């Protein structure tokens, strides 16, 4: 058990390092500020008790200036502490949370594509955002609060024991009952937090999907189907929310009952002591305020313990993503791509043991050639591209060889960044300007970048009969489907240093005359490159070598 806990702590520390969260200074300042606030809150009832007693014994006038100065000083310190705590909670914490989410995206990009295939993008985004916020909130805010409350509890218990030892027995009993209450509910709390988080993410994902497909839903007029689907998802979420409500009500109800009876007991016993002359009114007032603070701190520690279960659930979900299989990056840095071979290559379709290709593939791609891949839908053409890109690895038979080096030995991160240009089928559309998108493959090398940008603008103007200056500042969302596809093809073909170009269904949404001009551009670019094109077009690209997959 201790070994498992140690392993979990190590994984948590590794996760925080990956998120690049620098928390030690944040944690220390937060803790010191909270301890200072608690010290003030503990001191104030004492000061108020002294003032009440001075009013009773007639010395109030002599001490009023002294206590007024003390209280004003405390007020000013409290204002400064309030600023610090607010700055950390409402500015620094959101900043750290957003930075951690950006950093975790880099972690996910280092995972195998096959390991991420089970997650939809919007679901993954909602899940990471929710869990990162929960984890950082607990570590940076809740843990300092817990330490502060534990310190306050010790001071309060010691103070009350010093003033009235008999009350300490009641406090000890209350603490034991709280511990038993937490132990009884902790597993249920962890489970409901975990499955409720999942349900929240899936419902958000379903809603995002509808927003992304509004035009499609209206065009097909299947809104009733979509609404029913959302209602089913919503009902599942609400059933879990109601379970969470009942559990939380049982916990909070237990706290209220416990605190109520404790206060009644203290009030009755305190009244008896005052009547008997064993306790002054000022001292009773001080004890009651201290006990009120004590109940608040005990309840606060209990709530933080409940939050700990939410933190554990969030951490477990993050670790599940963190422990997905990493990309295997070879150590062979390829400086050029002269040829590419597939030897006895075959793969199985997802979820089955059936090989995609009727015969193992033995193909040889060379520079200066265009290869047009054809075959029925679902035969595995796009999947083959994923293997050529190194995004999928470990074929079911055979191997891929770049320049006489096996694919698993290649550093595909470097290869994809420099030497391979790819246009995938149905690439996502997002809100970015045309001019910014045109720079996607360009470095800060001013001369080269400017030349490539000029060439992109010239080709787009020529092929689309629209001046580049009229579209360069537009969003991709404002372009037509054909214009976006044309822009993607041009940017892909003009990627600097690329020696292999992979185009998956590049001519979708393009006019025939544009396709003709692009074919001429492909012939021009093939001179020193390997070009592979997946196509269902009726006519073969002029000069291309046909490869039929079956």
């Amino acid at each position: 058990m201790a070994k498992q806990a140690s392993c979990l702590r190590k994984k948590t520390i590794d996760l925080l390092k990956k998120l690049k969260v620098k928390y030690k200074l944040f944690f220390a300042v937060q803790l010191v500020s909270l301890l200072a606030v608690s010290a003030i809150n503990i001191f104030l009832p004492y000061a108020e008790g002294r003032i009440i007693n001075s009013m009773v014994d007639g010395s109030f006038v002599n001490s009023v200036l002294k206590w007024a100065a003390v209280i004003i000083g405390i007020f000013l310190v409290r204002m400064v502490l309030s600023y610090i705590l607010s700055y950390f909670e409402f500015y620094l914490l959101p900043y750290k949370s957003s930075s951690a989410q950006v950093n975790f995206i880099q972690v996910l990009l280092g995972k195998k594509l096959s390991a991420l295939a089970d997650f939809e993008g919007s679901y993954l985004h909602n899940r990471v955002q929710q869990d990162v916020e929960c984890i950082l909130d607990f570590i940076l805010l809740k843990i300092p609060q817990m330490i502060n409350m534990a310190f306050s509890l010790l001071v309060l218990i010691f103070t009350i024991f010093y003033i009235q030892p008999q009350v300490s027995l009641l406090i000890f009993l209350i603490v034991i009952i709280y511990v038993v209450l937490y132990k009884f509910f902790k597993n249920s709390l962890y489970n409901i937090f975990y499955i409720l988080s999942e349900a929240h993410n899936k419902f958000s994902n379903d809603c995002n999907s509808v927003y992304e497909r509004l035009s499609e839903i209206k065009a097909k007029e299947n809104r009733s189907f979509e609404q029913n689907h959302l209602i089913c998802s919503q009902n599942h979420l609400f059933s879990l929310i109601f379970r969470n409500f009942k559990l939380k009500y049982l916990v909070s109800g237990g706290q209220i009952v416990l605190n109520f009876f404790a206060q009644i007991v203290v009030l009755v016993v305190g009244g008896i002591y005052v009547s008997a002359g064993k306790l002054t009114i000022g001292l009773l007032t001080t004890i009651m305020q201290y006990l009120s603070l004590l109940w608040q701190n005990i309840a606060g520690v209990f709530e933080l313990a409940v939050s700990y279960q939410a933190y554990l659930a969030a951490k477990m979900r993050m670790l599940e993503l963190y422990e997905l299989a990493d990309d295997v990056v070879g150590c062979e840095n390829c400086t050029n791509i002269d040829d590419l071979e597939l030897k006895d290559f075959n793969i199985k379709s997802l979820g089955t043991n059936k090989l995609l290709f009727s015969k193992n593939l033995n193909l040889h791609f060379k520079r200066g050639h265009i290869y047009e891949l054809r075959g029925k839908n679902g035969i595995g053409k796009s999947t083959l591209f994923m293997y050529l890109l190194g995004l999928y690895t470990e074929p079911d038979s055979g191997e891929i060889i770049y320049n006489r080096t096996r694919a698993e030995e290649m550093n595909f991160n470097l290869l994809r960044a420099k030497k391979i240009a790819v246009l995938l089928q149905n690439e996502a559309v997002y809100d970015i300007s045309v001019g910014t998108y045109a720079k996607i493959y360009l470095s800060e090398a001013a001369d080269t970048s400017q030349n490539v940008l000029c060439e992109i603008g010239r080709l787009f103007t020529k092929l689309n009969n629209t001046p580049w200056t009229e579209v360069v500042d537009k969003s991709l969302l404002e372009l037509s489907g054909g214009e976006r596809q044309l822009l993607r093809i041009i940017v892909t073909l003009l990627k600097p240093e690329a020696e292999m170009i992979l185009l998956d269904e590049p001519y979708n949404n393009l006019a025939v005359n544009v396709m003709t001009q692009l074919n001429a551009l492909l012939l021009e670019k093939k001179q020193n490159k390997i070009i592979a094109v997946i196509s269902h077009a009726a006519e073969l690209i002029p000069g291309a070598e046909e490869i039929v997959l079956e």
Side-chain angles (χ1 to χ4, degrees), residues 129-139 307 310-312 314:
Q129 180 182 24
Q130 179 178 323
D131 291 341
V132 164
E133 288 174 355
C134 180
I135 289 170
L136 294 189
D137 179 75
F138 185 81
I139 292 174
S307 299
Y311 158 75
L312 288 179

Side-chain angles (χ1 to χ4, degrees), residues 358-373:
S358 58
K359 295 181 181 178
N360 291 349
L361 300 182
N362 286 282
L363 303 174
H364 195 178
F365 299 90
K366 297 179 180 179
R367 278 200 197 207
H369 294 262
I370 301 173
Y371 301 91
E372 188 165 351
L373 279 64

Side-chain angles (χ1 to χ4, degrees), residues 487-504:
L487 177 64
R488 287 168 178 154
I489 294 172
I490 293 171
V491 170
T492 303
L493 292 176
L494 295 182
K495 178 179 178 178
E497 300 183 52
E499 297 179 351
M500 183 168 75
I501 298 174
L502 305 178
L503 305 172
D504 192 347

Side-chain angles (χ1 to χ4, degrees), residues 334-373:
C334 184
T335 56
N336 62 294
I337 303 175
D338 293 320
D339 62 73
L340 165 65
E341 288 185 78
L342 278 71
K343 292 186 176 181
D344 291 322
F345 180 89
N346 216 326
I347 50 180
K348 290 178 181 176
S349 58
L350 292 175
T352 72
N353 288 320
K354 183 181 177 182
L355 291 172
L356 281 174
F357 308 120
S358 58
K359 295 181 181 178
N360 291 349
L361 300 182
N362 286 282
L363 303 174
H364 195 178
F365 299 90
K366 297 179 180 179
R367 278 200 197 207
H369 294 262
I370 301 173
Y371 301 91
E372 188 165 351
L373 279 64

Side-chain angles (χ1 to χ4, degrees), residues 39-94:
I40 290 172
N41 291 337
I42 291 170
F43 176 76
L44 281 176
Y46 170 77
E48 290 170 4
R50 289 292 301 270
I51 292 172
I52 291 171
N53 282 338
S54 65
M55 291 173 67
V56 173
D57 62 24
S59 61
F60 175 69
V61 176
N62 297 326
S63 60
V64 67
L65 292 176
K66 180 181 71 174
W67 287 110
V70 170
I71 290 172
I72 290 171
I74 289 173
F75 167 77
L76 294 175
V77 172
R78 187 69 181 83
M79 289 297 292
V80 172
L81 293 172
S82 175
Y83 174 83
I84 293 171
L85 292 172
S86 297
Y87 177 78
F88 273 65
E89 181 174 357
F90 301 115
Y91 174 73
L92 279 186
L93 182 62

